[in-house]
mmCIF file of all heavy atoms in Angstrom:
data_model
loop_
_atom_site.group_PDB
_atom_site.id
_atom_site.type_symbol
_atom_site.label_atom_id
_atom_site.label_comp_id
_atom_site.label_asym_id
_atom_site.label_seq_id
_atom_site.Cartn_x
_atom_site.Cartn_y
_atom_site.Cartn_z
ATOM 1 N N ASN A 7 64.035 -58.316 -19.962
ATOM 2 C CA ASN A 7 64.673 -57.382 -20.860
ATOM 3 C C ASN A 7 64.895 -57.876 -22.250
ATOM 4 O O ASN A 7 64.740 -57.183 -23.258
ATOM 5 C CB ASN A 7 66.017 -56.904 -20.225
ATOM 6 C CG ASN A 7 65.843 -55.890 -19.132
ATOM 7 O OD1 ASN A 7 64.868 -55.108 -19.167
ATOM 8 N ND2 ASN A 7 66.802 -55.846 -18.248
ATOM 9 N N ARG A 8 65.268 -59.201 -22.366
ATOM 10 C CA ARG A 8 65.502 -59.817 -23.684
ATOM 11 C C ARG A 8 64.214 -59.924 -24.400
ATOM 12 O O ARG A 8 64.125 -59.703 -25.608
ATOM 13 C CB ARG A 8 66.122 -61.189 -23.453
ATOM 14 C CG ARG A 8 67.552 -61.203 -23.139
ATOM 15 C CD ARG A 8 68.214 -62.524 -23.260
ATOM 16 N NE ARG A 8 67.680 -63.507 -22.281
ATOM 17 C CZ ARG A 8 68.265 -63.665 -21.074
ATOM 18 N NH1 ARG A 8 69.312 -62.925 -20.722
ATOM 19 N NH2 ARG A 8 67.783 -64.518 -20.175
ATOM 20 N N ALA A 9 63.125 -60.155 -23.724
ATOM 21 C CA ALA A 9 61.747 -60.241 -24.371
ATOM 22 C C ALA A 9 61.388 -58.818 -24.877
ATOM 23 O O ALA A 9 60.888 -58.749 -25.955
ATOM 24 C CB ALA A 9 60.701 -60.661 -23.358
ATOM 25 N N HIS A 10 61.715 -57.827 -24.072
ATOM 26 C CA HIS A 10 61.374 -56.450 -24.546
ATOM 27 C C HIS A 10 62.175 -56.074 -25.768
ATOM 28 O O HIS A 10 61.656 -55.466 -26.631
ATOM 29 C CB HIS A 10 61.592 -55.418 -23.472
ATOM 30 C CG HIS A 10 60.684 -55.495 -22.265
ATOM 31 N ND1 HIS A 10 59.317 -55.857 -22.416
ATOM 32 C CD2 HIS A 10 60.857 -55.377 -20.929
ATOM 33 C CE1 HIS A 10 58.790 -55.919 -21.291
ATOM 34 N NE2 HIS A 10 59.674 -55.555 -20.354
ATOM 35 N N SER A 11 63.449 -56.519 -25.819
ATOM 36 C CA SER A 11 64.279 -56.206 -27.007
ATOM 37 C C SER A 11 63.681 -56.943 -28.224
ATOM 38 O O SER A 11 63.708 -56.386 -29.291
ATOM 39 C CB SER A 11 65.688 -56.638 -26.660
ATOM 40 O OG SER A 11 66.233 -55.887 -25.722
ATOM 41 N N ALA A 12 63.282 -58.153 -28.045
ATOM 42 C CA ALA A 12 62.698 -58.920 -29.146
ATOM 43 C C ALA A 12 61.384 -58.295 -29.670
ATOM 44 O O ALA A 12 61.155 -58.119 -30.855
ATOM 45 C CB ALA A 12 62.411 -60.306 -28.779
ATOM 46 N N GLU A 13 60.582 -57.837 -28.663
ATOM 47 C CA GLU A 13 59.385 -57.112 -29.099
ATOM 48 C C GLU A 13 59.701 -55.807 -29.903
ATOM 49 O O GLU A 13 59.018 -55.499 -30.834
ATOM 50 C CB GLU A 13 58.542 -56.764 -27.846
ATOM 51 C CG GLU A 13 57.966 -57.991 -27.168
ATOM 52 C CD GLU A 13 57.839 -57.781 -25.708
ATOM 53 O OE1 GLU A 13 57.878 -56.639 -25.213
ATOM 54 O OE2 GLU A 13 57.639 -58.825 -24.931
ATOM 55 N N ASP A 14 60.734 -55.106 -29.396
ATOM 56 C CA ASP A 14 61.088 -53.847 -30.054
ATOM 57 C C ASP A 14 61.485 -54.178 -31.516
ATOM 58 O O ASP A 14 61.096 -53.469 -32.455
ATOM 59 C CB ASP A 14 62.208 -53.161 -29.336
ATOM 60 C CG ASP A 14 61.764 -52.437 -28.034
ATOM 61 O OD1 ASP A 14 60.550 -52.524 -27.840
ATOM 62 O OD2 ASP A 14 62.666 -51.906 -27.356
ATOM 63 N N ALA A 15 62.311 -55.157 -31.679
ATOM 64 C CA ALA A 15 62.804 -55.489 -33.030
ATOM 65 C C ALA A 15 61.764 -55.962 -33.958
ATOM 66 O O ALA A 15 61.734 -55.716 -35.165
ATOM 67 C CB ALA A 15 63.885 -56.520 -32.871
ATOM 68 N N ALA A 16 60.618 -56.519 -33.393
ATOM 69 C CA ALA A 16 59.610 -57.036 -34.215
ATOM 70 C C ALA A 16 58.451 -56.132 -34.524
ATOM 71 O O ALA A 16 57.615 -56.328 -35.279
ATOM 72 C CB ALA A 16 58.980 -58.326 -33.482
ATOM 73 N N SER A 17 58.577 -54.936 -33.853
ATOM 74 C CA SER A 17 57.447 -53.896 -34.087
ATOM 75 C C SER A 17 57.440 -53.457 -35.500
ATOM 76 O O SER A 17 58.533 -53.142 -36.184
ATOM 77 C CB SER A 17 57.797 -52.736 -33.168
ATOM 78 O OG SER A 17 57.765 -53.197 -31.791
ATOM 79 N N PRO A 18 56.293 -53.366 -36.137
ATOM 80 C CA PRO A 18 56.127 -52.854 -37.453
ATOM 81 C C PRO A 18 56.481 -51.414 -37.607
ATOM 82 O O PRO A 18 56.287 -50.606 -36.740
ATOM 83 C CB PRO A 18 54.631 -53.106 -37.853
ATOM 84 C CG PRO A 18 53.939 -53.091 -36.479
ATOM 85 C CD PRO A 18 54.952 -53.659 -35.500
ATOM 86 N N ALA A 19 57.140 -51.079 -38.720
ATOM 87 C CA ALA A 19 57.582 -49.721 -38.954
ATOM 88 C C ALA A 19 56.383 -48.839 -39.462
ATOM 89 O O ALA A 19 55.744 -49.259 -40.442
ATOM 90 C CB ALA A 19 58.730 -49.673 -39.956
ATOM 91 N N PRO A 20 56.107 -47.744 -38.863
ATOM 92 C CA PRO A 20 55.055 -46.792 -39.269
ATOM 93 C C PRO A 20 55.395 -46.230 -40.701
ATOM 94 O O PRO A 20 56.598 -46.125 -41.005
ATOM 95 C CB PRO A 20 54.947 -45.714 -38.297
ATOM 96 C CG PRO A 20 55.687 -46.326 -37.050
ATOM 97 C CD PRO A 20 56.713 -47.194 -37.602
ATOM 98 N N SER A 21 54.446 -45.836 -41.436
ATOM 99 C CA SER A 21 54.665 -45.229 -42.779
ATOM 100 C C SER A 21 55.324 -43.854 -42.559
ATOM 101 O O SER A 21 55.105 -43.146 -41.534
ATOM 102 C CB SER A 21 53.372 -45.162 -43.523
ATOM 103 O OG SER A 21 52.552 -44.207 -42.939
ATOM 104 N N GLN A 22 55.957 -43.382 -43.599
ATOM 105 C CA GLN A 22 56.548 -42.022 -43.610
ATOM 106 C C GLN A 22 55.530 -40.971 -43.400
ATOM 107 O O GLN A 22 55.735 -39.988 -42.756
ATOM 108 C CB GLN A 22 57.390 -41.777 -44.908
ATOM 109 C CG GLN A 22 58.699 -42.603 -45.003
ATOM 110 C CD GLN A 22 59.714 -42.018 -44.047
ATOM 111 O OE1 GLN A 22 59.847 -40.831 -43.862
ATOM 112 N NE2 GLN A 22 60.454 -42.929 -43.455
ATOM 113 N N ARG A 23 54.341 -41.157 -44.121
ATOM 114 C CA ARG A 23 53.290 -40.204 -43.935
ATOM 115 C C ARG A 23 52.803 -40.116 -42.529
ATOM 116 O O ARG A 23 52.577 -38.933 -42.083
ATOM 117 C CB ARG A 23 52.105 -40.623 -44.871
ATOM 118 C CG ARG A 23 50.954 -39.658 -44.874
ATOM 119 C CD ARG A 23 49.839 -40.045 -45.863
ATOM 120 N NE ARG A 23 48.749 -39.116 -45.821
ATOM 121 C CZ ARG A 23 47.709 -39.312 -46.595
ATOM 122 N NH1 ARG A 23 47.609 -40.305 -47.515
ATOM 123 N NH2 ARG A 23 46.665 -38.383 -46.514
ATOM 124 N N TYR A 24 52.593 -41.207 -41.950
ATOM 125 C CA TYR A 24 52.125 -41.159 -40.512
ATOM 126 C C TYR A 24 53.236 -40.534 -39.566
ATOM 127 O O TYR A 24 52.862 -39.758 -38.646
ATOM 128 C CB TYR A 24 51.800 -42.531 -39.992
ATOM 129 C CG TYR A 24 51.402 -42.554 -38.534
ATOM 130 C CD1 TYR A 24 50.212 -41.979 -38.099
ATOM 131 C CD2 TYR A 24 52.319 -43.004 -37.576
ATOM 132 C CE1 TYR A 24 49.838 -41.879 -36.803
ATOM 133 C CE2 TYR A 24 51.967 -42.929 -36.211
ATOM 134 C CZ TYR A 24 50.740 -42.325 -35.840
ATOM 135 O OH TYR A 24 50.453 -42.316 -34.533
#
Side-chain angles (χ1 to χ4, degrees):
N7 281 331
R8 283 192 292 272
H10 291 325
S11 294
E13 291 152 13
D14 285 356
S17 300
S21 68
Q22 287 289 319
R23 180 177 180 179
Y24 175 72

